[in-house]
Amino acid sequence: MPNPPFHEWTLIEAARKIRDGEISSRELTAALLERIAALEPKINAYITVLPEAAMARAAACDEERARGKASGALHGVPVGLKDIFCTRGVQTTCGSRILAGFDPPYDAGVASKVLASGAVLLGKHNMDEFAMGSSTETSHFGPTRNPWDPSRIPGGSSGGTAASVAAGTCFAGVGTDTGGSIRQPAALCGVVGLKPTYGRVSRYGMIAFASSLDQAGPLTRSVADAAAMLGIIAGHDRRDSTSVDVPVPDYLPAVSRPVRGMRIGLPREYFEGAGLDPEVKAAVERALKILTDQGAVAVEVSLPHTEYALSTYYLIAPAEASSNLARYDGVRYGHRAEGASGLIEMMSKTRAEGFGAEVKRRIMIGTYALSAGYYEAFYGKAQKVRTLIRRDFAAAFEKADALLTPTTPTPAFRIGEKTGDPLTMYLSDIYTIPCNLAGIPGISVPCGLSKSGLPIGAQLLAKHFDEETLFAVAGAVERALPAPGAAPVASAPVHK
Amino acid sequence: MEFEAVIGLEVHAQLSTESKIFCACSAKFGAAPNENSCPVCTGMPGVLPVLNRKAVEYAVRTALATSCRVQRRSVFARKNYFYPDLPKAYQISQYEAPLALAGHVDIETDGGTKRIGITRIHMEEDAGKLVHEGEFAGAQASLADLNRCSVPLMEIVSEPDMRTPEEAGAYLRRLRDILVYLEVCDGNMEEGSFRCDANVSVRPKGQKEFGTKAELKNMNSFRNVEKAVEYEIRRQIETIEDGGRVVQETRLWDANAGVTASMRRKEEAHDYRYFPDPDLLPLVVEDAWVEELRGTIPELPADKIARLSRDYGIPRYDAGILSSSRALADFFERCVALYGGAAKTTANECVHWKDAILAGRLTPETIAHAVEDRESGTVSATASKKLVEAVLETGKAFRALRDEKGLTQLSDASALDAVVDKVLAASPKEVESYRGGKTGLLSFFVGQVMKESRGKANPKIVQEVLKKKLG
């Protein structure tokens, strides 16, 4: 086995070692598959693992390299995708029973780009059902566990991706973030999670939860890896009308850009709430000190409509979800209930069996919020508040180049701790949601461990399409803080 | 009590684009079931709609041709409902902010020209089609054909400005003519590319408020629309006269029985939970593009009718028939350009041979030659008709056939002299009687001359020659 252990390599290191011939794609892929086999019973980060397909692809990569035909930044590097991205001929479930056995006849825009970069797809990561949840406990395929403490949740909904990256069962993954679903699990699993600007990455073939908020982005072990992954998946896709046609810069140089003179805004409202764990607060303040030590300037800003963000989100997201999820009716694909007589009964029974409790709850909320007589009071009003939240950010970015906040109010909670109280669960996304409502980019970067050894993340927010500033600031934090290291489950010796 | 009907029409016109409104699938009619379908138009998980620019262009041209105000910004919304032929469980349609507002179309009525207001024009996608057990060979259950899913439609909603079934019919025909002129819709009602729902209510004459309306569906020809509206007006009046009350509902027209029947009541109406489709950005139509498209609007039926009747001195009725098709009107004008004689005769000929002309089986030269030869007396009316028929049969030129068949009339008086002399010489008794005052015998002589000339003599000239010789 390579030394240091391959699972501690970054994505960029792995790609370089393959490129330099230090290791073959087959060796690396086989080692990862072995690790997956050993760790999956403990963390359940994958819904689907593709041993044969991954090995075949790795072999093809090695052969291409031997013939001098290797191309793509991730040539031969094993990665995973959240099971929300359609993959041609590979089961795509979105964590739901209703899509169990669904093999899409097309690749999502993100999947095509990752494959075109030469990466080897190891499998599809576990997730909250239809990305609804903050703990990956709502998956039909069972909860994912946090590699730092398997009695705890990894966060959600991209919990499978975050846990897999943290546990070293892939070099990087792509998740999605509708209200914090990349940044929150990244924070709780001690990895880097980026939600790019809305429209920066194609939504084509990404199973919709709330279309106006959903955004794909990378989960990685380093800021540079996140920059590399964004470079691969970003860009205009004419199959997605909301994807924006602006050039994709080379993000990597931004990671080492100095932060001297940068104005770091601290939104007052994000530090005032009673729910903020003192250890998390202290960790974020430590991150601020790192930045000011390097010459950045701290400024206080205000985002006055923050208190309405959560309720706004929980009207808009379920409203769009109720419409997006109406197509799962058992008629054309996926699960169909047995023994129904007649069409209406078949559809209702299929949906009753196929959807879990959280998805049903949000469909009900959304249907109500859109119904005649309530539309203006709920959905219409929420859209107006959304505009105010967007303006708050625009005003804050007049004063600051980036905003620094906690990613989550607390470190990872225990499995089952919040499942009985959805409203408490919703609060775990309180710091991440406003960013989605405004469509701006956000990143979560590890900023230490709690006393009990759980990762804590700091969130950085920037203007639309200013991901480079995020990489610069996150890179500065990363360089100054000792890396959280491998998660305990990950350091367990699983390979010979 | 005297009643008055109030009628408004909602027309769904399929835009004649090559591809569907939100994907690249073919929008053509008549493909094998589900042949024209892809993950996008069938709403598979994760796929997204992308708006067809050509469809917008066609709808904008329609808006301009009906004097509508094109909205710079319009918004696509989702209309949510469950149905097996609607794979996304919502239809994408413009709702609160449609493409165009406030236009009109002028129609001809017995009382002169009447202006029918157009409330709005919006764009939307069509749904699929269900084929139920027994309707289709081998169908054991209800089958879904998703070919029509996402075929581009434009809905044109009129103001409730029509008062009679005839006005409704006239509006509908005029609207279809405009769309066909613009080449944005083929206007085919049987294939469903031009469909109409009617909102009908009645009220006592003089009353301002509208009565309770019924919505009529399922009418697949102009005649059926008129008949359904007529039936519905009578039904509503009778209901009120019998002391009943009209209820708001949707009714289906049963063409075989000639009646409308209740389909669903207002209370059963859906809550569509409309909201702006987050997968599509608001549609922004730039002014410059609108102006560019304005330049592509051809002369429309109303203007064409007025111009043809004014410039060629033909009756409005004839101009109306000629203008019912852009191709027919163009054909007529080319005929007149080739032979500048009596436009009325040319118009008659074009109307008479309309079907063959539209089928592309006659050239303007044929009709121009036919009219010219008739007017010059070179061929008779009967011979002319025979010759055009022969053109259709053989594909040969009119004049070649005329000469080949020897159907030229003898119009030259000197050439007829000999024939007339021969006839007169053969009937001395009749000549005597005629000269004795039995002038009615003139037609006998004409007949004889025609017979002798084997029908080629020009009867008008024959009469003149006879009168001179007998007088």
Side-chain angles (χ1 to χ4, degrees), chain A residues 144-469:
Chain A
T144 296
R145 291 168 182 272
N146 193 317
W148 292 81
D149 176 354
S151 74
R152 293 180 187 265
I153 58 98
S157 63
S158 310
T161 313
S164 174
V165 172
T169 57
C170 69
F171 283 103
V174 185
T176 63
D177 189 315
T178 304
S181 283
I182 288 173
R183 291 159 289 157
Q184 186 255 16
L188 302 190
C189 290
V191 299
V192 175
L194 170 75
K195 181 204 95 78
T197 308
Y198 182 80
R200 180 75 281 193
V201 178
S202 170
R203 287 191 298 117
Y204 179 84
M206 177 175 123
I207 296 176
F209 159 18
S211 313
S212 75
L213 302 160
D214 295 344
Q215 176 63 50
L219 285 121
T220 55
R221 296 202 194 116
S222 76
V223 176
D225 284 0
M229 281 297 280
L230 181 62
I232 288 163
I233 62 173
H236 180 57
D237 182 348
R238 45 196 298 269
R239 297 169 301 182
D240 173 4
S241 310
T242 60
S243 96
V244 182
D245 194 1
V246 294
V248 179
D250 178 3
Y251 290 111
L252 274 170
V255 179
S256 43
R257 191 186 285 173
V259 295
R260 178 162 303 279
M262 263 192 204
R263 299 164 303 164
I264 305 296
L266 299 165
R268 191 184 306 141
E269 294 79 5
Y270 282 51
F271 294 88
E272 282 171 351
L276 181 57
D277 183 296
E279 277 196 274
V280 173
K281 193 177 181 202
V284 176
E285 281 164 353
R286 196 162 58 241
L288 178 67
K289 177 138 194 321
I290 288 167
L291 296 169
T292 50
D293 284 351
Q294 295 181 37
V297 184
V299 291
E300 191 177 289
V301 297
S302 173
L303 299 167
H305 295 93
T306 298
E307 59 172 309
Y308 306 110
L310 203 62
S311 36
T312 298
Y313 176 84
Y314 278 100
L315 286 170
I316 291 174
E320 293 181 4
S322 72
S323 173
N324 284 332
L325 269 56
R327 70 191 66 194
Y328 307 110
D329 55 12
V331 173
R332 295 165 305 279
Y333 46 79
H335 175 71
R336 177 186 287 182
E338 299 283 334
S341 64
L343 176 74
I344 301 296
E345 198 190 323
M346 188 280 280
M347 285 183 173
S348 352
K349 243 182 125 177
T350 294
R351 290 169 67 80
E353 289 176 7
F355 289 135
E358 183 60 25
V359 170
K360 284 177 188 163
R361 174 160 37 241
R362 297 202 198 184
I363 289 174
M364 297 295 281
I365 293 170
T367 303
Y368 186 75
L370 287 178
S371 60
Y374 297 99
Y375 177 87
E376 267 314 313
F378 293 127
Y379 188 81
K381 187 68 139 243
Q383 288 293 16
K384 286 178 186 145
V385 178
R386 185 176 184 175
T387 303
L388 297 177
I389 289 170
R390 195 184 284 265
R391 285 187 195 152
D392 280 359
F393 278 108
F397 287 123
E398 306 247 309
K399 291 190 187 165
D401 300 301
L403 308 184
L404 172 67
T405 84
T407 309
T408 60
T410 65
F413 45 90
R414 290 191 190 279
I415 287 179
E417 190 180 327
K418 296 187 179 181
T419 42
D421 186 354
L423 290 180
T424 313
M425 179 80 87
Y426 295 168
L427 285 170
S428 42
D429 290 335
I430 193 159
Y431 300 130
T432 49
I433 276 173
C435 162
N436 298 77
L437 290 169
I440 57 171
I443 196 169
S444 180
V445 60
C447 69
L449 293 178
S450 71
K451 286 190 197 89
S452 48
L454 294 171
I456 294 170
Q459 176 179 239
L460 293 158
L461 304 171
K463 284 195 278 282
H464 291 99
F465 295 100
D466 193 11
E467 282 82 2
E468 287 167 290
T469 293

Side-chain angles (χ1 to χ4, degrees), chain B residues 150-169:
Chain B
S150 203
V151 157
L153 299 180
M154 157 173 78
E155 183 170 339
I156 304 165
V157 182
S158 86
E159 290 286 306
D161 286 348
M162 288 149 277
R163 295 290 171 267
T164 65
E166 293 74 28
E167 287 182 8

Side-chain angles (χ1 to χ4, degrees), chain B residues 353-368:
Chain B
W353 299 105
K354 187 177 156 198
D355 292 344
I357 290 168
L358 290 178
R361 297 172 61 215
L362 287 175
T363 61
E365 284 75 17
T366 304
I367 298 300

Side-chain angles (χ1 to χ4, degrees), chain B residues 301-320:
Chain B
D303 293 334
K304 206 177 265 292
I305 291 169
R307 183 176 61 81
L308 292 187
S309 80
R310 184 183 66 233
D311 289 3
Y312 298 99
I314 58 173
R316 275 187 84 86
Y317 178 79
D318 292 14

